Amino acid sequence: MTFEQIGLHASLLKALTEAGYTKPTPVQQQAVPAAIAGRDLLVSSQTGSGKTAAFMLPALHKFASDAQYDAPAAGAKTPNQERQSARSRGDRPRFQAAKPKMLVLTPTRELALQVTTATDKYGIFMRRIRAVSILGGMPYPKQMQLLSKNPEILVATPGRLIDHMESGKIDFSELEILVLDEADRMLDMGFIDDIEKIVDATPTTRQTMLFSATLDGVVGNMARRITNNPMIIQIAGSSAKHENITQKVHFVDDMSHKNRLLDHLLRDETLDQAVIFTATKRDADTIADRLNIAGFAAAALHGDMHQGARNRTLDGLRRGQVRVLVATDVAARGIDVPAITHVFNYDLPKFPEDYVHRIGRTGRAGRNGVAISLVNHAESMNVKRIERFTKQLIPVEVVVGFEAKRSAAPRSSAKPGGWKPGDGRSNSRSGTGTGYAGSGKPAQRTFSKPNATPAREGGFNKEGGGYKGNRSSEGSRRSFSDR
Ligand code: ADP
Ligand code: MG
């Protein structure tokens, strides 16, 4: 299927050709025609599969087919021009609420900016379509100025949007399309009440499209509540397989070992650009400083930085001036730079989903990538959790000269049929099991240790359930919010 066959508006086809898109990705093949037909959508597919265009192309197609946004009719005034002339006549002393036609909700500022950039790219040959981002951290006067232009498309993080709604700056009575991008993530961040409030403020006649890594549980319930007879599109399982990404675990003894190994791995000649994930903002800063001193063009990215600094860092990354980005989870969400060949987990993520999102920063746009986790032995349980979540074993690799002194603690599980992904894991050199990555099926692996028990899938569901329980007891992650 081609974009022409889908029947997209000519201005979009031109923009896609210019963007180098030759054919729709699988998720686009399903989503775009259905959305053009007016269907609500519930979509789960892996990161990097082209979801932004899956919702933005049908929306822009709809606007392009609306004469007002296509070629200008002689003498006709757009709503914005009407406003402007009203203003120059002095008719409009007070602020008039923006009345967007489309709203895209995203969990983070970076993702919102990425959606706006993609919209500008796809809509470049359309007239008078304006997409603006309303984000936490952006100065209010600037936002007021953006809203006063009455943009057709708003891309927003929920917290800040609520503030504007409550002060009457936005009126959703003319909203036609609502998109929730990375809905699971927004719920994880504690945005559920805000989302419900926003949804309630929009007309029930709207078209709703929801994107999420999973359509189970809380997200699934909300998804069904806010959509109307949705078409459900599931391209990959809830835990994306990332078959083009080689995953590895390296065991380390302590911080100094971890730092030395990281320095070594960063000198890999196949490394083009890299993202290193840390647990804390302070670690991101410290490691970036240290790497800079060691001669790497490194920069930190985290939620404590001003928006301007974050944007400059991301620009530097896109342009290749920043080779190594040291980031926290929230800040790195949505980064889409094809030259990122390596992702490092300096610290393991708190939630297994974050592991999937982190490694998805590499292997973009059909390329291959490498994802390396630096783990001390006390953390092997966390590796196990990730393996259960992704249903893949992560092979252990050892670099000669950087061996950990301690070998992995033997993991014993008395439960018959319990899956023991780490059994027999060893950090001796022959302990690499590159045969598994991506197979999705724990199977025989070659271990140096005698009597290694082959891993089994048996205990999956049981143990996986335990993880969910832990997580809800973690409470709200609102501290990450973009307010
Ligand atoms: P997702 O939201 O599923 O993670 P994105 O929408 O961010 O994915 O797209 C990932 C990358 O793929 C982007 O660089 C985007 O420009 C590119 N892309 C999207 N659709 C196509 C296509 N049809 N052909 C080529 N590249 C595409
Ligand atoms: Mg996306």
Side-chain angles (χ1 to χ4, degrees):
M1 194 191 277
T2 62
F3 286 116
E4 284 84 359
Q5 283 163 346
I6 292 177
L8 281 177
H9 194 269
S11 64
L12 293 172
L13 292 176
K14 196 169 158 198
L16 290 172
T17 308
E18 213 150 89
Y21 293 12
T22 49
K23 65 180 176 51
T25 64
V27 67
Q28 291 161 7
Q29 288 188 24
Q30 293 198 43
V32 178
I36 288 178
R39 289 286 300 266
D40 280 3
L41 302 181
L42 299 185
V43 183
S44 80
S45 77
Q46 78 179 72
T47 45
S49 57
K51 293 189 285 292
T52 316
F55 62 77
M56 214 28 105
L57 292 176
L60 291 174
H61 174 83
K62 186 172 186 195
F63 297 136
S65 314
D66 187 341
Q68 184 187 310
Y69 300 112
D70 198 16
K77 277 188 177 157
T78 66
N80 288 328
Q81 285 168 337
E82 296 282 9
R83 284 164 169 254
Q84 251 138 35
S85 46
R87 193 172 0 206
S88 57
R89 287 196 306 268
D91 293 2
R92 217 191 46 142
R94 251 173 274 118
F95 184 88
Q96 218 170 316
K99 289 187 174 178
K101 300 252 181 266
M102 178 181 193
L103 170 66
V104 182
L105 290 177
T106 73
T108 66
R109 311 165 210 200
E110 275 70 27
L111 197 57
L113 290 171
Q114 199 189 309
V115 170
T116 344
T117 308
T119 309
D120 291 344
K121 179 162 79 176
Y122 304 143
I124 188 160
F125 298 114
M126 285 175 64
R127 292 170 206 249
R128 300 189 204 117
I129 280 290
R130 212 181 322 235
V132 309
S133 316
I134 296 298
L135 311 167
M138 192 190 268
Y140 261 89
K142 171 79 183 155
Q143 299 196 336
M144 298 307 298
Q145 188 210 335
L146 290 173
L147 286 175
S148 71
K149 296 199 170 117
N150 195 28
E152 288 75 21
I153 302 173
L154 272 191
V155 186
T157 50
R160 183 52 69 93
L161 187 67
I162 290 273
D163 294 346
H164 285 295
M165 281 168 61
E166 286 174 349
S167 56
K169 302 296 187 297
I170 303 173
D171 170 355
F172 284 125
S173 63
E174 290 176 16
L175 193 86
E176 294 171 16
I177 302 171
L178 172 67
V179 175
L180 282 79
D181 198 11
E182 307 211 0
D184 53 328
R185 181 67 171 196
M186 288 196 279
L187 297 191
D188 275 353
M189 290 168 71
F191 282 134
I192 188 149
D193 293 342
D194 289 349
I195 292 173
E196 303 254 344
K197 210 184 261 182
I198 293 165
V199 171
D200 284 346
T202 64
T204 50
T205 51
R206 68 175 190 267
Q207 178 179 29
T208 308
M209 299 185 243
L210 179 143
F211 295 78
S212 174
T214 168
L215 296 173
D216 305 328
V218 190
V219 194
N221 291 340
M222 184 187 71
R224 277 165 199 90
R225 217 162 45 237
I226 65 171
T227 52
N228 176 20
N229 182 28
M231 176 161 158
I232 296 172
I233 300 172
Q234 280 176 299
I235 301 290
S238 59
S239 47
K241 284 221 170 17
H242 286 310
E243 272 160 2
N244 56 332
I245 300 171
T246 306
Q247 303 173 52
K248 301 169 188 175
V249 160
H250 284 267
F251 277 105
V252 296
D253 291 320
D254 50 32
M255 290 295 260
S256 118
H257 184 196
K258 193 187 269 196
N259 289 335
R260 277 186 291 119
L261 179 58
L262 178 65
D263 280 33
H264 173 82
L265 294 169
L266 284 171
R267 292 174 205 279
D268 186 321
E269 60 188 23
T270 65
L271 186 146
D272 191 348
Q273 281 176 282
V275 182
I276 300 171
F277 285 95
T278 62
T280 66
K281 297 163 189 172
R282 189 197 291 182
D283 277 352
D285 281 330
T286 314
I287 293 165
D289 286 347
R290 201 174 51 71
L291 291 175
N292 268 313
I293 293 167
F296 297 99
L301 186 76
H302 55 68
D304 272 358
M305 290 161 60
H306 289 299
Q307 194 60 41
R310 286 163 80 164
N311 291 343
R312 274 194 299 283
T313 302
L314 285 170
D315 270 356
L317 185 73
R318 263 177 231 118
R319 285 201 297 267
Q321 292 153 345
V322 172
R323 251 191 98 211
V324 182
L325 184 76
V326 192
T328 57
D329 280 301
V330 172
R333 185 121 187 130
I335 288 177
D336 180 22
V337 177
I340 296 172
T341 50
H342 287 62
V343 167
F344 294 92
N345 291 313
Y346 187 86
D347 299 302
L348 284 176
K350 203 162 159 195
F351 302 105
E353 299 97 301
D354 288 336
Y355 177 85
V356 176
H357 286 291
R358 284 180 177 192
I359 73 171
R361 295 310 106 214
T362 180
R364 306 291 287 180
R367 304 188 191 198
N368 292 326
V370 179
I372 298 177
S373 299
L374 305 175
V375 176
N376 65 47
H377 294 98
E379 295 173 307
S380 34
M381 270 309 292
N382 298 339
V383 176
K384 231 167 136 176
R385 276 195 191 178
I386 292 167
E387 291 178 326
R388 266 188 232 123
F389 180 78
T390 60
K391 306 191 178 169
Q392 292 172 341
L393 288 177
I394 309 171
V396 177
E397 195 158 286
V398 174
V399 180
V400 182
F402 292 89
E403 299 86 350
K405 286 193 203 77
R406 266 188 59 193
S407 57
R411 294 155 176 178
S412 56
S413 163
K415 260 183 254 157
W419 184 45
K420 294 173 273 184
D423 278 1
R425 175 173 278 160
S426 156
N427 60 349
S428 75
R429 214 181 316 163
S430 50
T432 63
T434 39
Y436 312 124
S439 75
K441 209 188 236 173
Q444 206 73 34
R445 56 196 300 195
T446 22
F447 292 108
S448 56
K449 209 176 153 196
N451 302 325
T453 316
R456 265 166 302 182
E457 245 169 354
F460 228 114
N461 295 333
K462 215 187 309 169
E463 304 205 42
Y467 156 69
K468 285 231 162 74
N470 285 347
R471 179 173 147 209
S472 48
S473 68
E474 296 275 357
S476 157
R477 299 218 281 164
R478 197 55 197 256
S479 55
F480 289 134
S481 91
D482 272 310
R483 256 192 206 272

